Amino acid sequence: MHDVASIFHRYEAIRHRLPSAARAKNSIFIASLIEIVDEIDAFVFDAFGVLNVGETPIPGAAQRLEELRHLGVQIRILSNAASYPHDQAVQKFRNLGIQIDAEEIITSRDAALNDLDDRLWGCIAADADQLDDIGKDTIKLSSQAKDYDNVEGFLFLSSEGWAPEYQAMLRDSLLRKPRPLIIANADIAAPRDYGFSLEPGHFGHLLADDGIKDIKFYGKPFPEVFEMIEKSLPTISTSRIAMCGDTLHTDILGAAARNWRTVLVERDGMFAGVDTVSYRTDAGLDSTWRLSRI
């Protein structure tokens, strides 16, 4: 699943698990966000494919955010990245030359951790993740099969280093003894410098296909992260918020389900080098506006 078509078809196959939303009518192509600034009070940006691709900032993105701030528009970043704590997410953008305040970014990790109860969580996490922000009892899972059976719930933060044999241990343990599984990044795949990476959402949906029932997905298109954005913008109507993203089934669908306006960014992310017409038609999903880069 490493090209646009296969990723798109996988999202369509699991569409019954995603929120529903009415399709935007008469999507309009614009040259930049400045054209619609009079209609929007807050722009919410996806990260991968909109502000950066992997570790590479997209040309002009940082300058556009500063320009919008100067015009009095609120800025938020809404990312499905769950591999590192909030402060590291903020620092990552600053390292890319994108100046962002801590309160201007919300991640799917933030949303997932908000809902953790008191139990022993088996964490699927990146090697560098110290899990310091979890605030609950944790065990980091890898190759020890006994650990999968000993924990009381599973928190899937990162697919870095995740292997088929680990996936099999997780599946078998959940089938033997059902427990909650939290997928802290709902993405199936993400654009990188080298192509696409498989993300925790991919593995979560495989487990759902296998009959695992107690799975909760966090991040776009699911509502918790959008609700957190709305709470951070209490005086702004949802119809005056615009989600700028590169993916139909996460950014556009999730925002439309909240009655936000939407902007599909086409050049650098999921649909890089691809005409989006057939995908938008086949999915019955469309954005309020479309552009190449923000």
Side-chain angles (χ1 to χ4, degrees), residues 5-236:
S6 59
I7 295 166
F8 175 86
H9 290 305
R10 180 56 175 156
Y11 272 118
E12 282 293 285
I14 55 90
R15 185 77 175 269
H16 60 287
R17 298 179 188 139
L18 307 182
S20 59
R23 180 178 185 174
K25 298 178 180 179
N26 302 320
S27 179
I28 299 170
F29 190 85
I30 57 177
S32 85
L33 295 181
I34 301 303
E35 293 184 30
I36 58 172
V37 75
D38 290 341
E39 299 186 49
I40 299 300
D41 295 322
F43 284 102
V44 182
F45 296 94
D46 179 31
F48 279 25
V50 177
L51 303 178
N52 61 292
V53 177
E55 302 304 315
T56 304
I58 291 173
Q63 293 88 338
R64 181 67 75 213
L65 265 59
E66 289 304 312
E67 187 175 9
L68 291 169
R69 283 196 185 95
H70 182 72
L71 291 170
V73 179
Q74 290 289 316
I75 298 297
R76 297 290 184 272
I77 295 176
L78 181 53
S79 172
N80 277 6
S83 296
Y84 33 78
H86 188 93
D87 59 345
Q88 292 182 30
V90 174
Q91 189 59 49
K92 175 181 178 178
F93 286 106
R94 291 175 179 170
N95 291 343
L96 291 172
I98 299 171
Q99 295 306 309
I100 194 80
D101 293 332
E103 63 271 17
E104 290 180 316
I105 180 169
I106 288 172
T107 72
S108 56
R109 181 175 178 129
D110 297 332
L113 298 192
N114 279 349
D115 285 355
L116 288 188
D117 59 12
D118 291 322
R119 66 177 72 213
L120 176 60
W121 290 96
C123 294
I124 300 158
D127 288 343
D129 191 345
Q130 299 300 308
L131 307 177
D132 294 335
D133 59 330
I134 304 300
K136 311 293 179 183
D137 293 333
T138 61
I139 295 175
K140 189 177 283 190
L141 301 176
S142 59
S143 60
Q144 299 298 312
K146 62 180 177 61
D147 289 341
Y148 291 77
D149 287 338
N150 289 339
V151 300
E152 299 170 307
F154 298 92
L155 176 61
F156 203 138
L157 294 164
S158 174
S159 55
E160 177 187 300
W162 191 240
E165 58 267 28
Y166 303 161
Q167 179 79 2
M169 285 191 285
L170 176 59
R171 179 197 64 220
D172 294 345
S173 182
L174 282 167
L175 289 172
R176 282 192 300 270
K177 184 170 64 170
R179 285 150 290 166
L181 168 62
I182 289 180
I183 303 295
N185 174 351
D187 282 348
I188 286 176
R192 307 279 181 173
D193 300 286
Y194 54 81
F196 292 100
S197 60
L198 294 177
E199 298 298 318
H202 166 72
F203 299 100
H205 285 293
L206 288 179
L207 293 167
D209 293 344
D210 288 333
I212 307 299
K213 301 296 185 185
D214 193 359
I215 304 176
K216 176 78 171 179
F217 293 87
Y218 286 85
K220 300 166 291 182
F222 297 95
E224 292 81 5
V225 288
F226 294 98
E227 291 169 358
M228 292 176 72
I229 292 284
E230 291 167 9
K231 287 178 182 177
S232 80
L233 301 166
T235 64
I236 296 178

